[in-house]
Amino acid sequence: MLDVRRLRLLRELSIRGTLAEVAEALQYSPSSVSQQLALLEKEVGVELLRKTGRRVQLTPQAEVLVAHTAQLLETMEQAEADLAASLTTVTGTVRIAVFQSAALALMPDTLTRMAKTYPEVRIEMIQREPETALHETWARDFDLVIAEQYPGHAAPRYPELDRVKLTTDAIRLAVPASDGGTAIRALADTAEVPWVMEPRGAASRHWAEQACRSAGFEPDVRFETADLQAQARLIESGNAVALMPDLVWTGRGTTARLLELPGRPHRTIFTSVRRSSVQRPAILAARETLAAAAAAVAGNDAT
């Protein structure tokens, strides 16, 4: 009989690439991971790992085991979900990965509602960039991810993850209340002013740059920060302009002028969980409560 814990270590190695990263993710020591994988090799009687420089490479036989391990983990997770669904009380822990504007706009209300309606569910939240969080949810670091998708920019897809739309928010050009006489009325008017954007690689950065180029100019990006609250302060203080989704302003308002863009683009916000855990009551409760919080924000925006 193969040891499922050792099989999981092998799968983790296929995902993370190094023994050190596996050890960090599972809170083992690297030597312990190495010893357990050596025992797994003895159990199966074939070579599973080959050294390539400072890294190890999985053999074809190891890849076969990894594929079966993924199926085993899905079956076990489904069994856990079915067992939880048979109980009369919703309990357990839900680990949520969320990006900043959703964390600020949606999570406080969600946590308050969860504590009131499902007091025996523990919510753990960590801020992550959406693309990273989707991968980590697939890798079982998180149970649920709140992610975003900009127009024309597809977020990564994993067959093991579902995708449920949570809400949308408009993307607008945010400029200082006083523009110093530059008379900014449209995106093309910002060709000569400083911009603030997220670092390169972020979906929002790629989308903003493409929007500026479509308007006929290359943006003068003088400031880079992943902190959208810092971006908002730079805009409000008169030092920059940016393309900002409406969710950023939830609960705080702004002195900035928010200008409509051609085509009135919107960002889509969605949740994803592993399909094998989609019916777990605690996850269903978290999704239901997130949807209620998102609807409340949309209702407030409408008024």
Side-chain angles (χ1 to χ4, degrees), residues 97-103 106 128-134 145-157 163-171 198-199 201-207 226 228 243-248 266-272:
V98 58
F99 61 96
Q100 188 191 40
S101 58
L106 302 178
R128 285 284 196 278
E129 289 302 308
E131 293 196 2
T132 300
L134 284 164
V145 54
I146 306 173
E148 62 181 353
Q149 182 163 308
Y150 278 77
H153 188 282
R157 285 192 175 272
R163 183 172 295 198
V164 175
K165 179 180 172 182
L166 186 59
T167 188
T168 63
D169 61 341
I171 306 168
E198 291 196 53
S204 62
R205 171 67 174 264
H206 179 265
W207 188 86
L228 297 185
L243 296 178
M244 302 287 277
D246 279 356
L247 213 59
V248 172
H266 282 68
R267 174 183 66 166
T268 300
I269 298 167
F270 62 92
T271 63
S272 282

Side-chain angles (χ1 to χ4, degrees), residues 12-13 30 39 65-66 70 93 96 99 141 145 154 159-160 163 169 171 200 205 214 228 230:
E12 291 290 334
L13 183 59
L39 288 172
L65 286 179
V66 166
T93 297
I96 300 178
F99 61 96
D141 291 344
V145 54
E160 296 87 348
R163 183 172 295 198
D169 61 341
I171 306 168
R200 292 189 183 278
R205 171 67 174 264
S214 296
L228 297 185

Side-chain angles (χ1 to χ4, degrees), residues 168-279:
T168 63
D169 61 341
I171 306 168
R172 307 177 203 268
L173 173 62
V175 303
S178 175
D179 54 27
T182 55
I184 298 175
R185 297 292 180 268
L187 187 57
D189 299 329
T190 64
E192 305 298 328
V193 301
W195 277 76
V196 58
M197 292 186 183
E198 291 196 53
R200 292 189 183 278
S204 62
R205 171 67 174 264
H206 179 265
W207 188 86
E209 288 178 333
Q210 292 300 311
C212 291
R213 290 165 186 163
S214 296
F217 69 95
E218 189 69 25
D220 179 8
V221 184
R222 298 190 197 178
F223 314 111
E224 288 189 5
T225 175
D227 186 342
L228 297 185
Q229 294 299 301
Q231 290 191 25
R233 293 294 297 273
L234 287 172
I235 298 163
E236 292 165 340
S237 62
N239 289 291
V241 301
L243 296 178
M244 302 287 277
D246 279 356
L247 213 59
V248 172
W249 314 113
T250 300
R252 72 181 295 278
T254 182
T255 59
R257 290 189 296 125
L258 304 178
L259 307 179
E260 295 287 355
L261 295 169
R264 296 177 177 262
H266 282 68
R267 174 183 66 166
T268 300
I269 298 167
F270 62 92
T271 63
S272 282
V273 304
R274 290 180 297 281
R275 297 183 189 277
S276 52
S277 65
V278 71
Q279 294 301 320

Side-chain angles (χ1 to χ4, degrees), residues 9 12-25 30 33 37 54-58:
L9 289 176
E12 291 290 334
L13 183 59
S14 74
I15 293 171
R16 304 181 192 279
T18 67
L19 295 173
E21 290 183 36
V22 173
E24 182 179 359
V33 173
L37 291 174
R54 295 184 177 181
R55 301 173 69 90
V56 292
Q57 182 179 8
L58 273 65

Side-chain angles (χ1 to χ4, degrees), residues 113-114 117-118 144 166 282-294:
R113 290 168 183 259
M114 285 293 296
T117 309
Y118 302 101
L144 184 152
L166 186 59
I283 288 178
L284 288 171
R287 273 186 152 171
E288 171 191 288
T289 307
L290 275 166

